[in-house]
Amino acid sequence: MRLLSLCVLCCLPLQSLWAQSLCPVPLRVGFDDWPPYHYYQQEGEHRQLRGFAIDYLNAVSARLGCRLHYVELPWKRGLHDLELGRLDILMEAYFSDDRARYAWFSIPYNPGRTALWVRKPDTGDEMDLGRWLDRGHRLGVTRDYYYGPDIAEQLRRYPDRVSAVNDVQNYRKLVLGRIDGFLGDSLATSWGLKKEGLSDKVVPHAMGIYETPTSFMLSKKTISSEFVQRFNQAIVTVGESGEHERIWRRYTSVR
């Protein structure tokens, strides 16, 4: 009888297993190097995986009794692997209809603020990015980063004034005067400028740019809607316990 039961269990689809056992196998979590959300930190002879999103997901998984297996890979590759079911979770994700075809989105856990970063004396009085660009300013953006539909439309209107590179290249181009400002995540840019020794030269502009809370993406190939409900409840529990605030303060204090 036990052998028959085991055989039946082995034949069940993976999503059915989620309903019977909360985490039957370690969850495969994709990440790229993007401090302070997820990054390696050298500690003695070992590299430890650190970051706001890492600590937050660890806190959520601990409440579910789940184990995690982190896999480092480029962001686009992570999206592709999540769609195919080769990954179970991605972090720091914005919702889009295209992604919703193959992924569940958790309730948000990060405010997801983007700012316009400028040279310290050049804060100006413009309070609208379109007007700022219309005055001839040159803007740097991060390659493959999504800033929301309104900002994307403004960027399309001024293609000759917008250049897409990586974050560090934007820092250097701004300091050298090759651009007049760049868009960057508030938390990640603060860390990046500190690392490059540019915190006293580059500051956020007062104008509001974009704020859309970020979520965890969970693959529909491997994870059931029932599990997502429990996952969301664990996020709520982390927030109510005060752990969310402790984790946030850990990374909003630039070191």
Side-chain angles (χ1 to χ4, degrees):
M1 187 64 166
R2 176 179 295 179
L3 179 59
L4 178 61
S5 298
L6 287 174
C7 290
V8 171
L9 181 62
C10 291
C11 294
L12 288 173
L14 186 56
Q15 285 203 358
S16 297
L17 289 176
W18 283 110
Q20 297 183 29
S21 178
L22 202 53
C23 291
V25 293
L27 297 171
R28 300 159 298 176
V29 184
F31 77 97
D32 56 356
D33 182 36
W34 193 33
Y37 292 109
H38 19 80
Y39 64 99
Y40 278 111
Q41 179 173 294
Q42 195 70 32
E43 297 182 3
E45 298 180 355
H46 304 285
R47 290 197 312 161
Q48 299 294 330
L49 192 56
R50 302 296 187 201
F52 170 74
I54 297 291
D55 289 1
Y56 204 99
L57 183 57
N58 287 344
V60 171
S61 67
R63 283 161 172 77
L64 295 170
C66 297
R67 293 173 295 153
L68 303 176
H69 173 63
Y70 287 99
V71 182
E72 185 174 10
L73 73 178
W75 174 250
K76 281 191 172 182
R77 171 70 181 277
L79 291 172
H80 179 69
D81 284 2
L82 192 83
E83 182 174 7
L84 296 179
R86 295 172 183 166
L87 290 175
D88 302 303
I89 299 178
L90 285 175
M91 301 173 285
E92 285 302 309
Y94 293 117
F95 176 87
S96 74
D97 290 334
D98 179 63
R99 294 174 181 176
R101 290 186 299 102
Y102 57 86
W104 310 107
F105 281 79
S106 74
I107 58 176
Y109 64 95
N110 177 19
R113 298 187 181 99
T114 294
L116 171 66
W117 297 80
V118 296
R119 289 180 295 273
K120 197 167 188 177
D122 302 335
T123 53
D125 58 357
E126 301 96 338
M127 296 306 290
D128 176 78
L129 183 63
R131 191 168 302 171
W132 187 85
L133 287 166
D134 194 49
R135 291 188 178 183
H137 290 110
R138 298 157 298 171
L139 179 69
V141 297
T142 301
R143 186 182 292 115
D144 298 327
Y145 194 89
Y146 181 65
Y147 298 99
D150 293 339
I151 298 301
E153 177 58 32
Q154 293 186 32
L155 299 182
R156 282 193 292 268
R157 288 171 53 196
Y158 300 93
D160 57 329
R161 296 178 196 166
V162 178
S163 60
V165 294
N166 65 37
D167 292 337
V168 175
Q169 287 174 310
N170 273 325
Y171 305 165
R172 294 169 182 166
K173 289 177 69 174
L174 179 61
V175 171
L176 292 172
R178 295 176 182 170
I179 57 176
D180 302 299
F182 65 85
L183 300 183
D185 177 85
S186 295
L187 184 56
T189 304
S190 295
W191 272 64
L193 291 171
K194 178 71 173 180
K195 180 179 178 181
E196 297 295 320
L198 297 173
S199 296
D200 60 338
K201 297 180 180 179
V202 180
V203 296
H205 195 284
M207 78 168 70
I209 295 296
Y210 185 60
E211 180 172 333
T212 296
T214 56
S215 304
F216 296 106
M217 287 176 65
L218 300 94
S219 175
K220 289 183 176 179
K221 284 278 189 181
T222 62
I223 293 180
S224 71
S225 59
E226 290 80 10
F227 178 81
V228 176
Q229 292 176 10
R230 298 188 186 185
F231 189 90
N232 283 335
Q233 184 55 53
I235 291 178
V236 172
T237 303
V238 170
E240 292 176 345
S241 71
E243 191 167 3
H244 177 283
E245 185 63 26
R246 290 192 294 273
I247 295 172
W248 182 249
R249 286 200 305 267
R250 190 178 303 158
Y251 293 99
T252 50
S253 300
V254 179
R255 301 172 186 178

